[in-house]
PDB file of all heavy atoms in Angstrom:
ATOM      1  N   GLY A 121      -8.139   9.442   9.488  1.00  0.00           N
ATOM      2  CA  GLY A 121      -7.375   9.252   8.259  1.00  0.00           C
ATOM      3  C   GLY A 121      -8.261   8.907   7.079  1.00  0.00           C
ATOM      4  O   GLY A 121      -8.107   9.479   5.991  1.00  0.00           O
ATOM      5  N   ALA A 122      -9.191   7.978   7.263  1.00  0.00           N
ATOM      6  CA  ALA A 122     -10.065   7.571   6.163  1.00  0.00           C
ATOM      7  C   ALA A 122     -10.914   8.736   5.679  1.00  0.00           C
ATOM      8  O   ALA A 122     -11.129   8.905   4.471  1.00  0.00           O
ATOM      9  CB  ALA A 122     -10.946   6.407   6.618  1.00  0.00           C
ATOM     10  N   ALA A 123     -11.412   9.559   6.608  1.00  0.00           N
ATOM     11  CA  ALA A 123     -12.257  10.696   6.230  1.00  0.00           C
ATOM     12  C   ALA A 123     -11.463  11.731   5.439  1.00  0.00           C
ATOM     13  O   ALA A 123     -11.950  12.283   4.442  1.00  0.00           O
ATOM     14  CB  ALA A 123     -12.869  11.328   7.477  1.00  0.00           C
ATOM     15  N   VAL A 124     -10.246  12.007   5.866  1.00  0.00           N
ATOM     16  CA  VAL A 124      -9.405  12.987   5.167  1.00  0.00           C
ATOM     17  C   VAL A 124      -9.071  12.499   3.760  1.00  0.00           C
ATOM     18  O   VAL A 124      -9.164  13.250   2.777  1.00  0.00           O
ATOM     19  CB  VAL A 124      -8.126  13.258   5.971  1.00  0.00           C
ATOM     20  CG1 VAL A 124      -7.077  13.961   5.106  1.00  0.00           C
ATOM     21  CG2 VAL A 124      -8.435  14.099   7.204  1.00  0.00           C
ATOM     22  N   LEU A 125      -8.699  11.223   3.645  1.00  0.00           N
ATOM     23  CA  LEU A 125      -8.327  10.689   2.334  1.00  0.00           C
ATOM     24  C   LEU A 125      -9.524  10.633   1.397  1.00  0.00           C
ATOM     25  O   LEU A 125      -9.389  10.871   0.186  1.00  0.00           O
ATOM     26  CB  LEU A 125      -7.702   9.301   2.496  1.00  0.00           C
ATOM     27  CG  LEU A 125      -6.346   9.281   3.213  1.00  0.00           C
ATOM     28  CD1 LEU A 125      -5.851   7.853   3.402  1.00  0.00           C
ATOM     29  CD2 LEU A 125      -5.308  10.102   2.455  1.00  0.00           C
ATOM     30  N   ALA A 126     -10.718  10.344   1.936  1.00  0.00           N
ATOM     31  CA  ALA A 126     -11.919  10.322   1.098  1.00  0.00           C
ATOM     32  C   ALA A 126     -12.231  11.717   0.566  1.00  0.00           C
ATOM     33  O   ALA A 126     -12.594  11.893  -0.602  1.00  0.00           O
ATOM     34  CB  ALA A 126     -13.101   9.772   1.891  1.00  0.00           C
ATOM     35  N   ALA A 127     -12.091  12.731   1.426  1.00  0.00           N
ATOM     36  CA  ALA A 127     -12.332  14.108   0.986  1.00  0.00           C
ATOM     37  C   ALA A 127     -11.315  14.526  -0.063  1.00  0.00           C
ATOM     38  O   ALA A 127     -11.650  15.208  -1.041  1.00  0.00           O
ATOM     39  CB  ALA A 127     -12.282  15.055   2.186  1.00  0.00           C
ATOM     40  N   HIS A 128     -10.090  14.101   0.113  1.00  0.00           N
ATOM     41  CA  HIS A 128      -9.037  14.439  -0.857  1.00  0.00           C
ATOM     42  C   HIS A 128      -9.314  13.795  -2.201  1.00  0.00           C
ATOM     43  O   HIS A 128      -9.115  14.418  -3.262  1.00  0.00           O
ATOM     44  CB  HIS A 128      -7.684  13.969  -0.314  1.00  0.00           C
ATOM     45  CG  HIS A 128      -6.530  14.270  -1.226  1.00  0.00           C
ATOM     46  ND1 HIS A 128      -5.818  13.292  -1.885  1.00  0.00           N
ATOM     47  CD2 HIS A 128      -5.970  15.449  -1.595  1.00  0.00           C
ATOM     48  CE1 HIS A 128      -4.862  13.846  -2.601  1.00  0.00           C
ATOM     49  NE2 HIS A 128      -4.926  15.149  -2.446  1.00  0.00           N
ATOM     50  N   ALA A 129      -9.807  12.569  -2.190  1.00  0.00           N
ATOM     51  CA  ALA A 129     -10.092  11.865  -3.443  1.00  0.00           C
ATOM     52  C   ALA A 129     -11.286  12.467  -4.173  1.00  0.00           C
ATOM     53  O   ALA A 129     -11.391  12.360  -5.402  1.00  0.00           O
ATOM     54  CB  ALA A 129     -10.348  10.388  -3.152  1.00  0.00           C
ATOM     55  N   ALA A 130     -12.180  13.130  -3.418  1.00  0.00           N
ATOM     56  CA  ALA A 130     -13.423  13.641  -4.006  1.00  0.00           C
ATOM     57  C   ALA A 130     -13.300  15.052  -4.577  1.00  0.00           C
ATOM     58  O   ALA A 130     -14.208  15.510  -5.277  1.00  0.00           O
ATOM     59  CB  ALA A 130     -14.546  13.604  -2.972  1.00  0.00           C
ATOM     60  N   GLY A 131     -12.220  15.764  -4.285  1.00  0.00           N
ATOM     61  CA  GLY A 131     -12.113  17.143  -4.766  1.00  0.00           C
ATOM     62  C   GLY A 131     -10.694  17.646  -4.717  1.00  0.00           C
ATOM     63  O   GLY A 131      -9.821  17.060  -4.068  1.00  0.00           O
ATOM     64  N   SER A 132     -10.464  18.754  -5.396  1.00  0.00           N
ATOM     65  CA  SER A 132      -9.131  19.362  -5.452  1.00  0.00           C
ATOM     66  C   SER A 132      -9.026  20.443  -4.383  1.00  0.00           C
ATOM     67  O   SER A 132      -9.274  21.626  -4.635  1.00  0.00           O
ATOM     68  CB  SER A 132      -8.881  19.961  -6.838  1.00  0.00           C
ATOM     69  OG  SER A 132      -7.613  20.563  -6.911  1.00  0.00           O
ATOM     70  N   TRP A 133      -8.652  20.023  -3.163  1.00  0.00           N
ATOM     71  CA  TRP A 133      -8.604  20.939  -2.024  1.00  0.00           C
ATOM     72  C   TRP A 133      -7.157  21.156  -1.592  1.00  0.00           C
ATOM     73  O   TRP A 133      -6.377  20.212  -1.514  1.00  0.00           O
ATOM     74  CB  TRP A 133      -9.405  20.365  -0.850  1.00  0.00           C
ATOM     75  CG  TRP A 133     -10.787  19.933  -1.239  1.00  0.00           C
ATOM     76  CD1 TRP A 133     -11.243  18.645  -1.339  1.00  0.00           C
ATOM     77  CD2 TRP A 133     -11.881  20.774  -1.601  1.00  0.00           C
ATOM     78  NE1 TRP A 133     -12.549  18.640  -1.729  1.00  0.00           N
ATOM     79  CE2 TRP A 133     -12.971  19.928  -1.903  1.00  0.00           C
ATOM     80  CE3 TRP A 133     -12.049  22.159  -1.701  1.00  0.00           C
ATOM     81  CZ2 TRP A 133     -14.211  20.414  -2.299  1.00  0.00           C
ATOM     82  CZ3 TRP A 133     -13.281  22.649  -2.100  1.00  0.00           C
ATOM     83  CH2 TRP A 133     -14.346  21.793  -2.395  1.00  0.00           C
TER      84      TRP A 133
END
Side-chain angles (χ1 to χ4, degrees):
V124 165
L125 293 176
H128 180 248
S132 179
W133 309 109

